[in-house]
Amino acid sequence: MDIFVRNIPAQASDSSLKRFFEEKFSAFGIDVIHCQKLRSKTLANITVLEKDKAAEFLRKYGTTALSRTPVSILKFMNVTLHCQQSRNPPDELILRALKKKLTDKENKPNTTNDGSRVIPVEQKDRRFGYTTLACGRWEYTSLNELVFVSQTTTADPGFLVLGKKNIILVEDLPAPKKQLSNNSHRFRVDIPTYSVDSITIDSSSRHPASLTLSLRQAPKFYQIPPKQSSDVAGLFSDLSLSQAKKMSDRIRSTGLSQEHREIAGSCLVYRVYLTSRQDIASINRILGKTPDMPPSITMHTEAVSRNERHSTTMARLQDTLAKYHGELGFDVAFQVMQLAQNGCLSPHTVLQLLQIIRYMINTSGKDLTAQAISNWAQSIPFPGPESDHEVFSLPRLASELQAAVDGAKKDLQSRVAAIEKHPHLALVHRVMITPTGVYLNGPDLESKNRVLRKYPDHISQFVRVTFADEDGEKMFYERGVSQDYIFQVRFRQVLEEGVRIGGSLFEFLGFSHSSLREHTSWFMSQLLYNGRLLDAKAVILQLGDFGDIRTPAKCAARIGQAFSETNGVVDVPPRCVKSMPDVERNTRTFSDGVGTVSMETLQKIWREHPLTIQAAPTMYQIRFEGAKGMISLDSRIPGEALRLRPSMIKFQMAKASQIEICGAASKPLPMHLNRQYIKIMEDLGVNTNVFMRLQDDAVDTLRKTTLSAINASKFIKSQRIGTPARIGWLVKKLHSIGFEFLEDHFLRASLELAVLSKLRDLKHRARIPVEKATTMYGIMDETGFLAEGQIYCRMNDSVVTGTVTVTRAPALHPGDIQVVRAVDVPASCALKDIHNCIVFSQHGQRDLPSMLSGGDLDGDLYSVIWDQRLLPSVTDDAADYPKVPSKDVGRLVTTKDITNFFLEFMQNDQLGRIANIHVQLADVFSEGTFHPNCLKLAELHSTAVDFSKTGIPVDLTQIPKYRNIRPDFMAPSPRVRIEKDMCSLQDPHPDNEDAEEDDMDGAFNPDAQGTQYYESKKILGKLYRNIDERSFLDDLQRQANQLAPRDQTGESLIRRLLAYVLSRVREVAKLPWSAFINEAKEIKETYEDQTRNTIYQYSTNHSNPITEVEVFVGTLLGKDGGIPNKHAREASIGMKDTFDRDMTFIVEAIHKGLGERNETVDEGDALMRSIACFWVSVNTECGTVEARPRRNLESFRYIAASVCLWEVEKFLG
């Protein structure tokens, strides 16, 4: 039932009104309601699920046409409310959301783990007044006393809100200041609870009561415009922004004041002086009930004034590094600046250490000194109440820095060896620009691009710069928040003026297409090349001729080809490069982006490109001069030949002789369904039971993983976990010699995380594997054999035939999935010579790739499904959107045009948002993806995809209206925690807490509604509810406990395995393996340094780094333990490649030693060295990672054990 309420005070908010009515309705046994106050009106609508109980409420408080006086008066904020039954029926979606909320509430336990009753904390009880807010750092006095050094202080009072997801600080201007002008903005500070490292409470009666928060990352800062202001133009009046923006509830800022903005990125300690000492007890109680908050520490710490402004000292450090730049070199200066810029040490302390660093350069060289500083920085603990003051004494810091040189030698050696083995890699420095700070990372191994290859002696003068939010993620759209200041002022300043690092100025250079989507670009400092001083403009001029391009987006894309990462180059003589015409019909280019290569040239690529020599691919994705796209084998071409089409050539440049390899069709890729595919297939008539069966099969496979060592081994191999060290083989081998891997906590935790990650993909992303399907590159049939509607699909030696489904991601339009005929070709046909690809016909009215989400043949991946159960019963016409005209500036494109486009893209990239709204509305409407709103979103998505080429953003006014009520499968996921080498699941933070916490300040958007969820009746909802991940994990752990044998000796599996190895070897021969112990220790230390580097490289916060298990498995958990987003999933791939490369180096070191290596392996030495490594891994202390609590590094013992067992097996025959 809907209840209509009149005469509501205008100043009342949704949340305050809802809390009032929740209390009233609870007396009638009504636990959930939906309350919506009509904006700017004194009316509200309340939806109640239980109709009978709602009628009972109205009998007491309601009015009717016959009776204008209720039985009981209902007063809110001293105003009488008038309630009556609405004439309109209740919204069906709201009723479904209320039903789900009621079910969730009934199923949620009302006791904690210790059996005590959960007593919710009222929102109003989470709010506490403060008098002053200070920002600074923890430091130690000469007497070793911890003190808070205040850098900036706000003079106005405010209030503190201890939310479940955020700690919020809001300035509360006194009445006189509120009346000054319409532009008297207030500030707000949002501190995510997961970013709080420690909380110090000072309740001493002799000092003002305070709460001191030590943070791992800078908070988010906002300005709150006065309510009477009609727009926020005043905020930007001094910034020369061209347009006044529509009124926003909040305006993202970079700090609390000009002085604070200078230090907000590196001073991460905030002290809040409380208004009332009596609030301490309540604050302690709330902190104890907030799961992600660290335990508070009660102690008194003095607040002292600064001797010098932090920003002044930082500038002095920059100037000093510039003064000694020739002596230090950029690599050392970068690491020195990183110590201060990233908040590891104060700039004053770093300046004091410079003399030691200069001495280290004289004795150890620049490369080794830079590596030593980088390694040492990772071991510096976060200063604060829990840290030992001795660690931060100057003598101790200097001593540990110098001691880091020994470990750095091995790290440097491994990096040099990696580059020698993989010449396509280079060490690249990285910079992250956030709203508040500049953070330095690296250098790390990354694939080279054309620019880095051109200037191999100047790679350190190029840096990758990422523009991100404080948590390292992209700046995402926030409802009701203006981000103009961040993009148009903060980020623009960096793009136009450059960034200063260690005395060197780096200016904007360019970006690749993929890095644009990650909001990353290349910057460079001036370099001396062939006697000329080159800046960014000169480097661009040498890349090619871009003078005829008038569209900034297109010009940036063409320049960006030079920044595409490539994993190798192959020389080809210019005489063999020829042009060939495109196949065009009806204004369509059937050969868009694909050329050909002869067998002789292809064999040359195989020989010179070692990464693909074994797979012998018959097609490659390449860059060559100004061309980009695919080349496929045409065995009919004689001699050496590389044939390129006009559709491949994007700009002109000087003749080159190198093919740059971006990718290769080495093997068929597995195909997975996703939400988009499944929803379209459901709408196209595919039986939904098929999806349920496919999901059940996948879940059963995961459930059986721990039932046997064979299953576990197979799964580990399929996930490529520890492949260089044969960890899958190790698990199976343990079983064959009488050991079970489930006894070992680390192996078990690794398997648990890998299985749980796959399960969460199934549940939260509907990522269901399809066995009878594949994903591969697409090319055109050069022979003309295939007729319209036919494809040729060959995987290695297997050819797919029959009616098949073909598609391409992302798929939003029903026509993005088509049905075609897969055919074989005669033995004499040249198509027989190519494999691991999908070949499309060159005949027909329209090319098939363009019908699949607007695809082409320059490197797009396509999926073919021959599982007949997934064959649609109907198909829809493919989308054919009008071409969006590019943004033409009518003149030569300048660097400023390109940086303007980069900014516009970052701020207006709506791709993910549109896709999410599409998923939501496709579930809401009965027509699904055929609904006009979904079809409109599919068109807007296509425009958003082309934004990077056209420079034309999506018109946001065209996005169909949608409500903040989503299907249950879009709800937040439980959060994964890895504790005591076991995975556990914790409750997610409900989305609606955001609105509740926001409304606590009463300062903006008082009518904000939190996200609500309803139980979806469609297939995606059924698939989501079909998996209970908590129950699955409990069963998996219970099953493992039952299967794991209990050893009576109490010794760990790894110790008993070492004893087994030593006894087996002694039975045959007395080997002097102990002679290799010192070398084994070096190998272990090298591995642990590499692993530690990887952990920190892929950790958003170094004081709360990712776990070793995540690195070992190759799976990064999402932020706060949630489902990983696209950024985290892509980072996982990079992390896995890095770790596998390091593991390969260590395995080779165990075989051949760390010194100069021969191609041949001395079998006896390899065996003895492996035994020594295994013995050292068990009998020496593990390395550690600085975290709270400190963590041991354990994975080396499993690599050593596997290599040792392998060598023993060979030795024993």
Side-chain angles (χ1 to χ4, degrees):
M1 177 190 292
D2 273 6
I3 296 174
F4 189 62
V5 185
R6 292 181 292 112
N7 204 36
I8 297 168
Q11 66 270 31
S13 68
D14 264 357
S15 297
S16 60
L17 190 66
K18 181 183 177 184
R19 288 195 289 271
F20 170 78
F21 274 108
E22 280 178 338
E23 183 179 343
K24 296 299 179 184
F25 277 110
S26 65
F28 297 87
I30 299 173
D31 292 328
V32 294
I33 64 170
H34 180 272
C35 180
Q36 177 70 60
K37 179 176 178 283
L38 303 185
R39 188 179 289 270
S40 303
K41 294 187 179 181
T42 60
L43 309 173
N45 192 72
I46 298 174
T47 304
V48 180
L49 192 60
E50 300 95 328
K51 189 174 181 179
D52 294 342
K53 294 178 180 179
E56 188 178 344
F57 171 87
L58 285 175
R59 281 194 289 273
K60 182 174 182 179
Y61 296 112
T63 61
T64 64
L66 299 177
S67 175
R68 294 291 182 180
T69 306
V71 174
S72 297
I73 301 296
L74 198 62
K75 283 201 170 187
F76 173 60
M77 298 175 69
N78 294 322
V79 176
T80 300
L81 303 182
H82 305 294
C83 305
Q84 65 185 72
Q85 183 174 348
S86 174
R87 298 172 186 168
N88 302 318
D91 186 295
E92 180 62 29
L93 208 58
I94 292 176
L95 289 177
R96 290 170 67 183
L98 288 176
K99 186 176 180 180
K100 183 180 187 309
K101 189 173 182 180
L102 182 62
T103 303
D104 292 346
K105 197 168 185 177
E106 290 171 346
N107 292 336
K108 189 173 182 179
N110 61 356
T111 59
T112 60
N113 293 334
D114 60 6
S116 60
R117 185 169 178 271
V118 174
I119 302 175
V121 180
E122 291 293 331
Q123 303 294 350
K124 61 184 179 181
D125 295 333
R126 294 177 175 271
R127 175 170 164 164
F128 308 93
Y130 70 79
T131 59
T132 308
L133 174 63
C135 173
R137 296 179 56 91
W138 288 119
E139 292 187 17
Y140 292 92
T141 68
S142 58
L143 300 176
N144 297 326
E145 292 179 350
L146 180 69
V147 294
F148 171 69
V149 181
S150 175
Q151 292 289 333
T152 62
T153 304
T154 63
D156 293 313
F159 53 86
L160 160 79
V161 179
L162 295 176
K164 299 173 187 176
K165 292 176 67 175
N166 295 288
I167 296 175
I168 299 174
L169 301 165
V170 182
E171 183 182 29
D172 196 11
L173 291 179
K177 286 195 176 183
K178 289 182 182 178
Q179 297 171 4
L180 284 178
S181 73
N182 285 349
N183 290 324
S184 55
H185 296 76
R186 295 189 286 154
F187 70 71
R188 164 177 163 151
V189 183
D190 280 18
I191 302 172
T193 54
Y194 66 79
S195 73
V196 181
D197 187 77
S198 67
I199 300 175
T200 308
I201 297 176
D202 190 345
S203 58
S204 170
S205 59
R206 293 174 295 137
H207 302 90
S210 66
L211 192 72
T212 306
L213 307 170
S214 303
L215 310 182
R216 300 168 185 151
Q217 66 185 45
K220 290 184 178 182
F221 300 99
Y222 301 90
Q223 290 189 339
I224 307 169
K227 292 181 181 178
Q228 64 267 33
S229 177
S230 60
D231 58 59
V232 297
L235 176 68
F236 302 113
S237 59
D238 60 331
L239 305 175
S240 303
L241 294 184
S242 58
Q243 294 180 340
K245 297 294 180 180
K246 185 180 177 182
M247 173 67 173
S248 298
D249 301 316
R250 283 174 287 175
I251 301 162
R252 191 71 186 272
S253 183
T254 57
L256 307 177
S257 64
Q258 182 56 43
E259 185 179 26
H260 180 247
R261 290 186 189 109
E262 295 174 358
I263 55 105
S266 51
C267 290
L268 302 179
V269 182
Y270 287 82
R271 176 160 288 188
V272 184
Y273 291 95
L274 300 171
T275 304
S276 173
R277 189 178 305 279
Q278 281 65 44
D279 287 339
I280 293 290
S282 298
I283 289 174
N284 269 321
R285 179 171 59 88
I286 293 171
L287 292 177
K289 291 179 177 293
T290 306
D292 296 321
M293 207 75 78
S296 59
I297 304 163
T298 301
M299 64 179 292
H300 170 67
T301 51
E302 289 287 346
V304 300
S305 300
R306 65 194 182 198
N307 293 324
E308 182 181 45
R309 289 176 59 178
H310 182 87
S311 55
T312 302
T313 317
M314 192 74 84
R316 194 153 53 86
L317 175 61
Q318 287 270 26
D319 293 340
T320 303
L321 292 176
K323 177 181 178 182
Y324 294 109
H325 188 271
E327 178 184 343
L328 299 176
F330 176 74
D331 289 348
V332 172
F334 183 92
Q335 298 303 332
V336 172
M337 202 66 215
Q338 183 181 31
L339 292 172
Q341 205 83 46
N342 294 10
C344 300
L345 297 171
S346 71
H348 176 72
T349 302
V350 176
L351 280 165
Q352 290 179 302
L353 289 171
L354 263 182
Q355 191 62 38
I356 300 295
I357 293 170
R358 293 170 65 192
Y359 170 78
M360 290 170 60
I361 290 174
N362 289 330
T363 57
S364 303
K366 295 177 182 178
D367 291 345
L368 194 54
T369 299
Q371 186 68 54
I373 299 171
S374 176
N375 290 3
W376 174 63
Q378 297 170 1
S379 66
I380 301 173
F382 196 84
E386 295 180 338
S387 299
D388 182 1
H389 66 85
E390 279 293 327
V391 175
F392 296 95
S393 67
L394 192 62
R396 174 79 170 267
L397 291 171
S399 173
E400 291 187 350
L401 174 56
Q402 290 177 302
V405 170
D406 289 337
K409 290 177 182 177
K410 296 185 285 292
D411 275 354
L412 194 61
Q413 182 183 2
S414 67
R415 289 190 166 197
V416 170
I419 292 173
E420 288 176 351
K421 185 172 182 179
H422 306 286
H424 68 281
L425 297 176
L427 285 169
V428 176
H429 296 85
R430 293 177 292 118
V431 181
M432 185 169 73
I433 309 292
T434 73
T436 64
V438 177
Y439 303 103
L440 311 180
N441 295 287
D444 299 303
L445 289 169
E446 294 188 17
S447 293
K448 291 179 182 176
N449 55 46
R450 186 178 298 177
V451 175
L452 296 186
R453 285 195 177 89
K454 184 175 177 65
Y455 306 102
D457 298 327
H458 302 277
I459 288 178
S460 64
Q461 289 170 271
F462 297 89
V463 297
R464 283 176 67 99
V465 179
T466 299
F467 295 84
D469 212 333
E470 304 301 345
D471 58 3
E473 300 283 353
K474 289 193 289 188
M475 290 283 296
F476 291 114
Y477 165 82
E478 289 183 83
R479 181 177 291 185
V481 175
S482 168
Q483 298 177 336
D484 282 16
Y485 186 86
I486 304 302
F487 287 104
Q488 299 302 329
V489 180
R490 165 68 175 153
F491 289 172
R492 178 181 292 281
Q493 184 178 31
V494 173
L495 285 165
E496 293 184 354
E497 298 178 11
V499 58
R500 191 179 178 211
I501 306 170
S504 298
L505 180 65
F506 286 79
E507 56 183 342
F508 173 82
L509 183 62
F511 47 84
S512 67
H513 182 264
S514 60
S515 68
L516 170 65
R517 296 207 174 276
E518 290 303 311
H519 299 181
T520 298
S521 59
W522 285 93
F523 279 48
M524 67 165 287
S525 63
Q526 290 186 340
L527 58 89
L528 190 64
Y529 181 73
N530 289 342
R532 289 181 56 201
L533 191 63
L534 301 182
D535 59 7
K537 186 176 291 186
V539 168
I540 296 298
L541 285 174
Q542 292 190 6
L543 292 178
D545 181 8
F546 308 102
D548 61 342
I549 304 174
R550 297 293 186 264
T551 300
K554 185 177 290 185
C555 185
R558 301 302 172 244
I559 294 172
Q561 287 178 217
F563 298 107
S564 297
E565 292 186 1
T566 50
N567 54 39
V569 294
V570 177
D571 290 318
V572 292
R575 57 178 171 73
C576 78
V577 181
K578 306 292 182 182
S579 63
M580 63 188 303
D582 273 304
V583 178
E584 298 176 317
R585 189 179 307 108
N586 300 330
T587 71
R588 309 279 184 183
T589 304
F590 286 65
S591 57
D592 191 5
V594 64
T596 59
V597 63
S598 67
M599 176 59 80
E600 189 172 333
T601 300
L602 188 65
Q603 289 172 337
K604 179 180 176 65
I605 296 175
W606 291 344
R607 290 192 301 270
E608 297 185 19
H609 190 248
L611 294 179
T612 59
I613 189 169
Q614 292 182 336
T618 52
M619 66 206 60
Y620 287 87
Q621 186 180 27
I622 67 160
R623 300 288 185 268
F624 181 80
E625 296 180 352
K628 66 185 285 281
M630 297 292 297
I631 53 171
S632 65
L633 170 64
D634 187 343
S635 56
R636 300 170 301 175
I637 303 174
E640 285 189 277
L642 173 67
R643 296 183 175 179
L644 306 176
R645 288 189 162 98
S647 62
M648 302 175 69
I649 299 170
K650 307 301 181 181
F651 65 91
Q652 298 299 321
M653 65 170 288
K655 291 295 181 183
S657 61
Q658 287 187 328
I659 298 175
E660 297 171 286
I661 307 297
C662 297
S666 301
K667 61 181 180 181
L669 301 174
M671 190 273 171
H672 292 82
L673 298 174
N674 58 32
R675 286 177 177 173
Q676 295 171 340
Y677 288 154
I678 292 170
K679 188 69 200 76
I680 293 176
M681 286 181 173
E682 178 186 33
D683 296 338
L684 294 179
V686 174
N687 189 327
T688 56
N689 290 329
V690 175
F691 302 115
M692 300 295 287
R693 285 196 291 271
L694 287 170
Q695 187 192 66
D696 286 341
D697 290 344
V699 173
D700 286 343
T701 299
L702 293 176
R703 188 174 283 114
K704 293 174 182 175
T705 300
T706 57
L707 285 178
S708 71
I710 293 175
N711 289 351
S713 175
K714 184 178 178 181
F715 177 77
I716 288 170
K717 289 177 181 177
S718 71
Q719 302 305 308
R720 295 176 44 241
I721 298 173
T723 299
R726 302 185 181 91
I727 297 299
W729 173 85
L730 172 65
V731 166
K732 189 163 63 174
K733 184 62 182 176
L734 287 173
H735 175 73
S736 70
I737 59 178
F739 299 96
E740 291 298 336
F741 77 96
L742 290 174
E743 294 181 66
D744 186 87
H745 66 279
F746 186 86
L747 289 177
R748 180 170 158 176
S750 299
L751 187 64
E752 270 185 17
L753 178 60
V755 170
L756 188 58
S757 296
K758 289 297 169 186
L759 183 81
R760 285 159 71 80
D761 274 350
L762 286 169
K763 179 178 177 70
H764 298 282
R765 297 175 58 208
R767 195 167 188 270
I768 304 172
V770 181
E771 187 176 341
K772 295 180 179 180
T774 189
T775 299
M776 296 185 291
Y777 285 119
I779 60 169
M780 189 192 72
D781 170 23
E782 300 289 345
T783 69
F785 177 84
L786 298 176
E788 181 179 10
Q790 291 183 338
I791 65 168
Y792 176 66
C793 178
R794 178 185 169 191
M795 302 171 297
N796 296 323
D797 296 324
S798 173
V799 177
V800 177
T801 58
T803 305
V804 298
T805 302
V806 61
T807 187
R808 171 182 169 270
L812 278 76
H813 190 280
D816 289 338
I817 293 180
Q818 294 291 323
V819 174
V820 296
R821 189 80 182 166
V823 299
D824 200 353
V825 297
S828 59
C829 181
L831 294 182
K832 275 292 186 184
D833 296 318
I834 60 178
H835 54 265
N836 296 333
C837 66
I838 300 167
V839 185
F840 295 101
S841 170
Q842 61 170 271
H843 301 296
Q845 295 300 306
R846 180 179 176 183
D847 59 305
L848 183 56
S850 72
M851 298 166 67
L852 306 173
S853 305
D856 55 34
L857 302 176
D858 69 353
D860 286 355
L861 293 170
Y862 297 85
S863 293
V864 174
I865 306 170
W866 57 93
D867 188 327
Q868 297 302 297
R869 297 174 299 172
L870 293 174
L871 201 64
S873 57
V874 296
T875 57
D876 190 37
D877 291 338
D880 191 9
Y881 305 121
K883 188 175 182 180
V884 177
S886 300
K887 183 178 181 180
D888 191 331
V889 294
R891 52 171 170 75
L892 285 174
V893 174
T894 65
T895 300
K896 188 169 184 177
D897 291 327
I898 294 176
T899 57
N900 283 341
F901 165 67
F902 187 76
L903 281 167
E904 187 177 17
F905 185 88
M906 286 196 292
Q907 190 166 8
N908 296 290
D909 182 13
Q910 300 290 325
L911 205 59
R913 182 184 172 205
I914 292 170
N916 282 333
I917 297 172
H918 183 273
V919 169
Q920 179 180 341
L921 296 188
D923 191 83
V924 169
F925 298 121
S926 58
E927 304 95 328
T929 54
F930 283 94
H931 190 277
N933 285 4
C934 290
L935 295 175
K936 183 62 179 178
L937 285 165
E939 182 178 1
L940 294 176
H941 192 271
S942 175
T943 302
V945 168
D946 291 339
F947 181 18
S948 60
K949 304 172 187 174
T950 64
I952 305 298
V954 168
D955 182 356
L956 299 184
T957 63
Q958 293 190 38
I959 295 179
K961 291 184 178 180
Y962 62 99
R963 289 184 292 175
N964 222 9
I965 304 177
R966 299 175 183 169
D968 52 356
F969 58 80
M970 297 183 77
S973 68
R975 297 169 296 151
V976 177
R977 291 287 184 267
I978 302 174
E979 297 170 339
K980 299 179 180 178
D981 298 312
M982 285 187 65
C983 294
S984 63
L985 292 171
Q986 297 180 358
D987 287 339
H989 293 300
D991 283 0
N992 55 16
E993 287 176 1
D994 289 330
E996 291 173 358
E997 291 177 10
D998 282 352
D999 188 53
M1000 287 185 231
D1001 63 36
F1004 59 91
N1005 199 8
D1007 298 319
Q1009 285 281 348
T1011 305
Q1012 299 180 73
Y1013 298 92
Y1014 63 88
E1015 189 174 289
S1016 169
K1017 297 177 182 178
K1018 296 185 179 179
I1019 183 58
L1020 289 176
K1022 294 175 182 177
L1023 289 168
Y1024 172 80
R1025 294 186 296 276
N1026 193 43
I1027 295 177
D1028 184 339
E1029 54 196 311
R1030 292 180 185 277
S1031 175
F1032 180 96
L1033 182 59
D1034 289 344
D1035 290 345
L1036 192 74
Q1037 292 175 342
R1038 189 182 308 110
Q1039 177 179 281
N1041 288 334
Q1042 292 170 352
L1043 292 173
R1046 297 289 182 269
D1047 181 69
Q1048 301 303 316
T1049 65
E1051 281 196 310
S1052 66
L1053 177 144
I1054 209 76
R1055 282 193 174 277
R1056 287 183 283 120
L1057 180 60
L1058 176 61
Y1060 166 84
V1061 167
L1062 294 177
S1063 65
R1064 289 297 309 275
V1065 172
R1066 278 196 296 266
E1067 291 174 5
V1068 181
K1070 291 183 178 180
L1071 298 173
W1073 58 266
S1074 59
F1076 289 87
I1077 284 180
N1078 287 336
E1079 185 179 3
K1081 287 179 179 178
E1082 288 188 16
I1083 293 173
K1084 174 178 175 288
E1085 288 172 5
T1086 300
Y1087 173 82
E1088 289 174 344
D1089 285 341
Q1090 291 173 335
T1091 304
R1092 194 180 294 110
N1093 289 339
T1094 302
I1095 287 173
Y1096 286 121
Q1097 179 183 346
Y1098 290 94
S1099 297
T1100 305
N1101 297 303
H1102 285 191
S1103 57
N1104 185 34
I1106 61 175
T1107 63
E1108 185 183 17
V1109 173
E1110 289 173 81
V1111 174
F1112 192 76
V1113 171
T1115 299
L1116 284 169
L1117 297 174
K1119 186 171 65 175
D1120 201 22
I1123 295 297
N1125 58 18
K1126 183 179 179 182
H1127 175 77
R1129 294 195 298 271
E1130 290 177 349
S1132 291
I1133 295 172
M1135 180 181 72
K1136 188 168 188 60
D1137 289 343
T1138 298
F1139 185 63
D1140 282 353
R1141 191 166 55 240
D1142 290 343
M1143 192 186 301
T1144 300
F1145 175 83
I1146 291 301
V1147 170
E1148 290 181 355
I1150 297 174
H1151 282 300
K1152 303 176 183 178
L1154 276 174
E1156 293 294 327
R1157 299 184 187 176
N1158 300 316
E1159 288 301 318
T1160 58
V1161 178
D1162 185 309
E1163 298 294 343
D1165 284 357
L1167 172 60
M1168 291 187 287
R1169 194 180 292 108
S1170 70
I1171 296 172
C1173 285
F1174 191 13
W1175 186 92
V1176 164
S1177 74
V1178 175
N1179 291 288
T1180 60
E1181 285 189 10
C1182 295
T1184 60
V1185 172
E1186 285 297 330
R1188 294 194 174 170
R1190 181 174 291 183
R1191 304 173 193 158
N1192 289 333
L1193 294 172
E1194 302 181 83
S1195 57
F1196 177 72
R1197 58 184 54 164
Y1198 304 96
I1199 295 169
S1202 184
V1203 175
C1204 183
L1205 271 179
W1206 183 269
E1207 291 297 325
V1208 168
E1209 287 294 303
K1210 286 198 301 182
F1211 178 71
L1212 298 177

